[in-house]
Coordinates of all heavy atoms in Angstrom, one line a residue:
C264 N -19.3 14.2 17.0 CA -20.1 15.1 16.2 C -21.2 14.3 15.5 O -20.9 13.2 15.0 CB -19.2 15.8 15.2 SG -17.8 16.7 15.9
T265 N -22.3 14.9 15.4 CA -23.5 14.2 14.8 C -24.0 15.0 13.6 O -24.2 16.3 13.8 CB -24.6 14.0 15.8 OG1 -24.0 13.2 16.9 CG2 -25.8 13.2 15.3
G266 N -24.4 14.4 12.5 CA -24.9 15.1 11.4 C -25.4 14.2 10.3 O -25.8 13.0 10.6
A267 N -25.4 14.7 9.1 CA -25.9 13.9 8.0 C -25.2 14.4 6.7 O -24.8 15.6 6.7 CB -27.4 14.0 7.8
I268 N -25.1 13.5 5.7 CA -24.5 13.9 4.4 C -25.5 13.6 3.3 O -26.2 12.6 3.3 CB -23.2 13.1 4.1 CG1 -22.1 13.5 5.1 CG2 -22.8 13.3 2.7 CD1 -20.8 12.8 4.8
A269 N -25.7 14.6 2.4 CA -26.5 14.4 1.2 C -25.6 13.9 0.1 O -24.7 14.6 -0.3 CB -27.2 15.7 0.8
E279 N -28.0 10.5 4.4 CA -27.7 9.5 5.4 C -27.1 10.1 6.6 O -26.3 11.0 6.5 CB -26.6 8.5 4.8 CG -27.2 7.7 3.6 CD -26.1 6.7 3.1 OE1 -25.0 6.7 3.5 OE2 -26.5 5.9 2.3
M281 N -24.7 10.4 9.9 CA -23.3 9.9 10.1 C -22.9 10.6 11.4 O -23.3 11.7 11.7 CB -22.4 10.3 8.9 CG -21.0 9.8 9.1 SD -19.9 10.3 7.7 CE -20.6 9.4 6.4
F283 N -19.0 11.2 13.7 CA -17.6 11.1 13.8 C -17.1 11.5 15.1 O -17.8 12.3 15.9 CB -16.9 11.7 12.6 CG -16.9 13.2 12.6 CD1 -15.9 14.0 13.3 CD2 -17.8 13.9 11.8 CE1 -15.9 15.4 13.3 CE2 -17.8 15.3 11.8 CZ -16.9 16.0 12.5
L333 N -13.3 18.9 6.4 CA -14.1 19.6 7.3 C -13.8 21.1 7.3 O -12.7 21.5 7.3 CB -13.9 19.1 8.7 CG -14.3 17.6 9.0 CD1 -13.8 17.1 10.3 CD2 -15.9 17.6 9.0
H334 N -14.9 21.9 7.2 CA -14.8 23.3 7.2 C -15.6 23.9 8.3 O -16.7 23.5 8.6 CB -15.4 23.9 5.9 CG -14.8 23.3 4.6 ND1 -13.8 23.9 4.0 CD2 -15.2 22.2 3.9 CE1 -13.5 23.2 2.9 NE2 -14.3 22.1 2.9
H336 N -18.0 26.2 10.1 CA -19.2 26.9 9.6 C -19.7 27.9 10.6 O -19.9 29.0 10.2 CB -20.3 25.9 9.2 CG -21.5 26.5 8.7 ND1 -21.5 27.1 7.4 CD2 -22.8 26.6 9.2 CE1 -22.7 27.6 7.2 NE2 -23.5 27.3 8.2
V344 N -20.1 23.8 18.1 CA -19.7 24.3 16.8 C -20.3 23.5 15.7 O -20.6 22.3 15.8 CB -18.1 24.2 16.6 CG1 -17.7 24.8 15.3 CG2 -17.4 24.9 17.8
I345 N -20.7 24.1 14.6 CA -21.2 23.4 13.4 C -20.1 23.4 12.3 O -19.5 24.5 12.0 CB -22.5 24.0 12.9 CG1 -23.6 23.9 13.9 CG2 -22.9 23.4 11.6 CD1 -24.9 24.6 13.6
Y346 N -19.8 22.2 11.8 CA -18.8 22.1 10.7 C -19.6 21.6 9.5 O -20.6 20.8 9.5 CB -17.8 21.1 11.1 CG -16.9 21.6 12.2 CD1 -17.1 21.3 13.5 CD2 -15.7 22.4 11.9 CE1 -16.3 21.8 14.5 CE2 -14.9 22.9 12.9 CZ -15.2 22.6 14.2 OH -14.4 23.1 15.2
R347 N -19.0 22.0 8.3 CA -19.5 21.5 7.0 C -18.5 20.4 6.5 O -17.3 20.6 6.7 CB -19.6 22.6 6.0 CG -20.2 22.2 4.7 CD -20.4 23.4 3.8 NE -19.2 24.3 3.6 CZ -18.3 24.0 2.8 NH1 -18.3 23.0 1.9 NH2 -17.2 24.9 2.7
M348 N -19.0 19.3 6.0 CA -18.2 18.2 5.5 C -18.4 18.1 4.0 O -19.5 18.0 3.5 CB -18.5 16.9 6.2 CG -17.6 15.8 5.7 SD -18.0 14.2 6.4 CE -17.2 14.3 8.0
D349 N -17.3 18.0 3.2 CA -17.3 17.6 1.8 C -16.7 16.2 1.8 O -15.7 16.0 2.4 CB -16.5 18.5 0.9 CG -17.1 19.9 0.9 OD1 -18.4 20.0 0.7 OD2 -16.4 20.9 1.0
Q370 N -22.1 16.3 0.6 CA -21.9 17.4 1.5 C -22.9 17.3 2.7 O -24.0 16.8 2.5 CB -22.2 18.7 0.8 CG -21.1 19.1 -0.2 CD -21.4 20.5 -0.7 OE1 -22.5 20.9 -0.9 NE2 -20.3 21.2 -1.0
G371 N -22.4 17.7 3.9 CA -23.3 17.6 5.0 C -22.9 18.6 6.1 O -21.9 19.4 5.9
A372 N -23.6 18.6 7.2 CA -23.3 19.5 8.3 C -23.3 18.7 9.6 O -24.1 17.7 9.7 CB -24.4 20.6 8.4
F373 N -22.4 19.0 10.5 CA -22.2 18.3 11.7 C -22.2 19.2 12.9 O -21.5 20.2 12.9 CB -20.9 17.5 11.6 CG -21.1 16.3 10.7 CD1 -20.9 16.5 9.3 CD2 -21.4 15.1 11.1 CE1 -21.1 15.5 8.4 CE2 -21.6 14.0 10.2 CZ -21.4 14.2 8.9
F374 N -22.9 18.8 13.9 CA -22.9 19.5 15.2 C -22.0 18.9 16.2 O -22.1 17.7 16.4 CB -24.4 19.4 15.7 CG -24.6 20.0 17.1 CD1 -24.8 21.3 17.3 CD2 -24.6 19.1 18.2 CE1 -25.1 21.8 18.5 CE2 -24.9 19.6 19.4 CZ -25.1 20.9 19.6
C375 N -21.0 19.7 16.6 CA -19.9 19.1 17.5 C -20.0 19.8 18.9 O -20.4 20.9 19.0 CB -18.6 19.4 16.9 SG -18.3 18.6 15.3

Side-chain angles (χ1 to χ4, degrees):
C264 303
T265 302
I268 293 186
E279 295 180 351
M281 184 182 290
F283 68 86
L333 291 168
H334 304 269
H336 181 68
V344 182
I345 297 175
Y346 291 93
R347 185 174 51 86
M348 179 186 281
D349 294 315
Q370 289 187 323
F373 289 81
F374 173 83
C375 300

